Amino acid sequence: MDKSYKEIFTQIDTLIFDVDGVLTNGVVTVFPDGQLIRHMSIKDGYALKSAIKAGLRVCVISGGKNEGVRTRLQNLGLTDVYLDAHNKIEQFNELIKKYEINPENVLYMGDDIPDLPVMRLVGMPCCPNDAVREIQQISKYISDKKGGEGCARDVIEQVMRVQGKWKSDFYDAEA
């Protein structure tokens, strides 16, 4: 019998997120000078920071290479931010080896085909509700939120609640 997603959430110790389409809505504003601007949710930021404070490992693996994204994530406390990752398996394997992580204890939230190979290896593949069909088909949890609109907060809060780590009094977890 398959475990429910809430049962799987109890064993999660590592959270990995894609950026574009997950931590952002997937829309990129292009300025005349070629600069690309992405929009990220403050609620997702709060949850990312809260998860780190609660002792969960939080990482990002993204094909995008915007250094502003790296700065934002590092300001939230993420230390493992992989950008310009076109073969996400390489970065995933590096994380697994570096921290001796059991892939069954990993939640990966992705939204598009480049996320598929890693999502097939983790214990909890999940996605925003506007992810492409192939990603939704392999996801054990589909957030009711869209990418960039709180899907990361949704899944982080649920994991932390079932683990007894979600508190309403996180100090200075300002996003």
Side-chain angles (χ1 to χ4, degrees):
M1 184 170 137
D2 289 337
K3 291 182 181 180
S4 74
Y5 72 87
K6 287 196 177 191
E7 290 174 303
I8 298 169
F9 283 171
T10 63
Q11 68 191 35
I12 297 300
D13 61 20
T14 303
L15 307 165
I16 304 175
F17 296 92
D18 178 33
V19 173
D20 293 322
V22 174
L23 297 179
T24 77
N25 64 4
V27 175
V28 179
T29 302
V30 183
F31 284 90
D33 66 358
Q35 183 179 10
L36 305 177
I37 303 296
R38 292 163 171 85
H39 298 269
M40 300 177 100
S41 167
I42 294 296
K43 289 182 175 110
D44 285 348
Y46 177 83
L48 291 164
K49 192 167 187 175
S50 298
I52 293 166
K53 285 182 180 271
L56 292 168
R57 187 176 301 104
V58 182
C59 314
V60 162
I61 302 175
S62 175
K65 54 186 174 184
N66 184 296
E67 287 301 315
V69 169
R70 181 186 313 277
T71 300
R72 164 77 174 141
L73 295 170
Q74 287 176 336
N75 286 342
L76 293 172
L78 279 78
T79 56
D80 295 293
V81 178
Y82 297 92
L83 301 180
D84 203 18
H86 299 290
N87 179 0
K88 295 182 178 190
I89 292 283
E90 291 176 16
Q91 288 76 21
F92 175 74
N93 286 334
E94 184 179 320
L95 282 167
I96 295 299
K97 185 176 178 182
K98 179 178 179 181
Y99 295 110
E100 298 179 358
I101 299 169
N102 178 348
E104 282 298 308
N105 298 336
V106 175
L107 177 150
Y108 184 102
M109 182 172 257
D111 72 305
D112 210 342
I113 302 302
D115 301 306
L116 202 55
V118 175
M119 291 178 73
R120 288 184 172 137
L121 299 176
V122 301
M124 177 48 74
C126 58
C127 67
N129 71 7
D130 59 345
V132 300
R133 180 183 355 215
E134 293 88 347
I135 296 299
Q136 289 189 20
Q137 288 173 338
I138 67 158
S139 291
K140 293 181 180 175
Y141 176 76
I142 300 174
S143 174
D144 66 344
K145 308 286 187 212
K146 292 181 179 180
E149 297 180 10
C151 64
R153 164 70 180 258
D154 170 43
V155 74
I156 291 169
E157 186 174 336
Q158 287 198 56
V159 167
M160 291 177 68
R161 282 188 187 278
V162 300
Q163 293 182 4
K165 295 178 179 178
W166 185 260
K167 299 176 178 78
S168 59
D169 64 346
F170 286 112
Y171 62 95
D172 85 359
E174 187 176 308

